[in-house]
Amino acid sequence: MHYLYKIKIQFLKMKIKLLIVFTFLSITTFGQLTGIVTGLNISKQAAFNDTVIKVVYNNKIANNPNPPALFFNGKLVSYSLLSTINPENISSVNVIKKDTIIDSVKYYSKIMIQGNSNNYHNYMSLNEFKSKYVSPSENEPVFQIDGTIVNDDYNGYLIDEKNILRVIVTPVDNPKQKIKIDFINILTKSKKNIEESDQIIIR
């Protein structure tokens, strides 16, 4: 029974991820999608004998000027929430292809995500998260979530506090380069991150 339960959970995760991807594809073109998903980049794989170092800039492409409105449990939320939301906490995803105006902003469709009623969520901005968990510092913060640098407004970038596994803060103080930052690496409770955190290194 335990084995069947694990298969059911994995199938649910895959279904939710595919549904969200197909939702975006049904609303936006590929070029618009790259503006929504930070760091999305397609490049030719380097050949084994290549001698020239390939440099790829993962710049954030300009945001889609007409993105669909994203709702979670009936509340309008930022797309940043998708970077930390737990798929197991989603019960349904529906797309309403109808124009709507919210706070004088026109959206050309709506994505309605419904969370499980038996799960508790706590959404906060990155700055709120930093104030709660990171020691005060005069250094400028630079956030990374699961390997992706955050280039958005830290006050408007929402994350799910309940789906955060670990926070690694690395101060970088280089007077010669006039660099003083706190590199804040946030890891979510993804299967990969949990497995890697549970690994025991045998020397």
Side-chain angles (χ1 to χ4, degrees), residues 2 13 34 44 50 61 64-65 67 77-79 82 90 101 112-113 122 127 135 155 167-168 176 182:
H2 179 67
K13 286 183 178 181
T34 57
K44 182 180 177 182
D50 282 356
I61 302 174
N64 179 359
V77 297
S78 166
Y79 275 94
L82 297 178
I90 297 176
I101 297 178
M112 312 295 294
I113 300 178
N122 189 17
N127 275 340
S135 299
N155 285 319
V167 181
I168 304 171
K176 291 186 178 180
D182 284 335

Side-chain angles (χ1 to χ4, degrees), residues 76-93:
L76 181 67
V77 297
S78 166
Y79 275 94
S80 61
L81 191 59
L82 297 178
S83 66
T84 60
I85 195 170
N86 187 345
E88 292 184 23
N89 293 339
I90 297 176
S91 61
S92 65
V93 179

Side-chain angles (χ1 to χ4, degrees), residues 39-44 53-59:
L40 181 62
N41 181 72
I42 295 180
S43 59
K44 182 180 177 182
I53 297 176
K54 300 297 189 299
V55 179
V56 178
Y57 290 90
N58 287 324
N59 293 336

Side-chain angles (χ1 to χ4, degrees), residues 12 15-17 19-20 23 70-74 82 85-95 110-117 119 121:
L12 177 62
K15 182 178 179 181
I16 292 298
K17 289 180 180 179
L19 186 55
I20 291 177
T23 296
L70 179 66
F71 288 84
F72 186 85
N73 288 347
L82 297 178
I85 195 170
N86 187 345
E88 292 184 23
N89 293 339
I90 297 176
S91 61
S92 65
V93 179
N94 295 312
V95 180
K110 295 190 291 187
I111 299 177
M112 312 295 294
I113 300 178
Q114 186 64 38
N116 295 329
S117 59
N119 285 300
H121 314 280

Side-chain angles (χ1 to χ4, degrees), residues 4-197:
L4 293 177
Y5 175 76
K6 290 178 66 177
I7 293 178
K8 183 178 179 180
I9 291 297
Q10 293 301 320
F11 177 76
L12 177 62
K13 286 183 178 181
M14 184 181 299
K15 182 178 179 181
I16 292 298
K17 289 180 180 179
L18 288 175
L19 186 55
I20 291 177
V21 170
F22 288 139
T23 296
F24 280 122
L25 290 178
S26 68
I27 296 172
T28 62
T29 63
F30 176 78
Q32 292 171 329
L33 181 62
T34 57
I36 293 176
V37 182
T38 303
L40 181 62
N41 181 72
I42 295 180
S43 59
K44 182 180 177 182
Q45 185 175 0
F48 182 76
N49 293 324
D50 282 356
T51 57
V52 179
I53 297 176
K54 300 297 189 299
V55 179
V56 178
Y57 290 90
N58 287 324
N59 293 336
K60 183 177 180 180
I61 302 174
N63 286 331
N64 179 359
N66 300 315
L70 179 66
F71 288 84
F72 186 85
N73 288 347
K75 181 180 179 180
L76 181 67
V77 297
S78 166
Y79 275 94
S80 61
L81 191 59
L82 297 178
S83 66
T84 60
I85 195 170
N86 187 345
E88 292 184 23
N89 293 339
I90 297 176
S91 61
S92 65
V93 179
N94 295 312
V95 180
I96 301 177
K97 295 184 178 180
K98 183 179 179 180
D99 294 356
T100 181
I101 297 178
I102 304 174
D103 294 333
S104 301
V105 178
K106 184 175 183 179
Y107 299 90
Y108 288 84
S109 55
K110 295 190 291 187
I111 299 177
M112 312 295 294
I113 300 178
Q114 186 64 38
N116 295 329
S117 59
N118 59 339
N119 285 300
Y120 175 66
H121 314 280
N122 189 17
Y123 303 115
M124 60 177 59
S125 70
L126 281 176
N127 275 340
E128 290 172 333
F129 185 84
K130 174 178 176 290
S131 297
K132 185 174 181 178
Y133 291 98
V134 180
S135 299
S137 170
E138 295 182 354
N139 294 351
E140 291 294 328
V142 175
F143 288 93
Q144 176 176 277
I145 300 177
D146 287 343
T148 299
I149 298 292
V150 177
N151 291 321
D152 295 297
D153 178 14
Y154 295 160
N155 285 319
Y157 197 103
L158 297 179
I159 62 174
D160 184 0
E161 178 190 20
K162 295 301 179 181
N163 195 37
I164 302 303
L165 174 67
R166 180 178 298 171
V167 181
I168 304 171
V169 181
T170 305
V172 179
D173 190 350
N174 189 334
K176 291 186 178 180
Q177 298 298 324
K178 298 181 180 180
I179 297 175
K180 291 188 67 174
I181 66 172
D182 284 335
F183 187 73
I184 304 173
N185 187 17
I186 298 176
L187 300 178
T188 63
K189 293 179 181 177
S190 66
K191 180 180 177 181
K192 176 184 176 182
N193 289 340
I194 292 175
E195 288 178 349
E196 290 179 352
S197 67

